[in-house]
Amino acid sequence: MKDCLFCKIINGDIPSEKVYEDEEILAFKDIQPAAPIHILVIPKKHIDSLANIEEDDEKIIGKIYMVINKIAEDQQFKDKGYRVIVNCGKDGGQEVMHLHFHLLAGKPLGEKIVG
Ligand code: AMP
Ligand code: ZN
């Protein structure tokens, strides 16, 4: 999508520190890390928000979780633990309107909002 920041990262117009890439998914370091490890995992298909996923997107979302676990294993924090966050819409605090999964790790992540 033309004016989407993350689509520009996917097509290389904006640089990023890539952590993982395949034909459907890209993972790169967040520019303003909220933890020692803060990675964004995104579908290459432009989906603006979790609120607007379609039935066809089920598979890619499942695959994103598999990729998250692969990154956790490769970067050796799978055993210690991690947190995955999806901000959705205005009240959810979503700023970039291209579906993304925040993967946070590398320290005890502090206060839980739920649980
Ligand atoms: P959200 O608030 O859930 O929409 O998250 C957007 C995230 O994108 C924030 O954590 C930003 O720090 C991150 N971000 C914004 N621009 C870039 C960029 N050029 N490269 C990497 N991460 C970015
Ligand atoms: Zn996009």
Side-chain angles (χ1 to χ4, degrees):
M1 207 196 198
K2 208 168 126 264
D3 289 321
C4 171
L5 177 68
F6 287 173
C7 283
K8 286 180 183 163
I9 285 178
I10 290 162
N11 69 29
D13 287 346
I14 292 175
S16 69
E17 265 193 81
K18 288 180 192 173
V19 172
Y20 173 91
E21 182 167 23
D22 65 29
E23 60 291 344
E24 294 175 307
I25 292 170
L26 178 68
F28 54 97
K29 292 188 183 172
D30 196 291
I31 206 167
Q32 275 192 299
I37 296 166
H38 186 170
I39 294 164
L40 299 172
V41 187
I42 67 175
K44 287 190 172 175
K45 175 190 171 189
H46 180 88
I47 301 169
D48 65 359
S49 157
L50 184 62
N52 293 325
I53 55 172
E54 296 168 349
E55 217 168 303
D56 276 1
D57 300 325
E58 259 181 49
K59 203 162 158 248
I60 188 73
I61 289 167
K63 191 175 168 190
I64 283 172
Y65 281 104
M66 298 302 290
V67 166
I68 285 170
N69 281 351
K70 180 178 164 33
I71 293 168
E73 192 151 12
D74 290 350
Q75 298 206 4
Q76 294 172 350
F77 59 81
K78 195 171 183 183
D79 291 342
K80 281 206 148 186
Y82 42 100
R83 190 173 288 169
V84 179
I85 295 173
V86 179
N87 296 325
C88 178
K90 194 162 153 274
D91 281 1
Q94 184 179 4
E95 287 181 8
V96 177
M97 292 308 287
H98 180 127
L99 177 64
H100 51 282
F101 293 66
H102 295 261
L103 170 57
L104 299 156
K107 67 168 190 182
L109 289 161
E111 194 187 344
K112 294 196 290 180
I113 296 174
V114 289

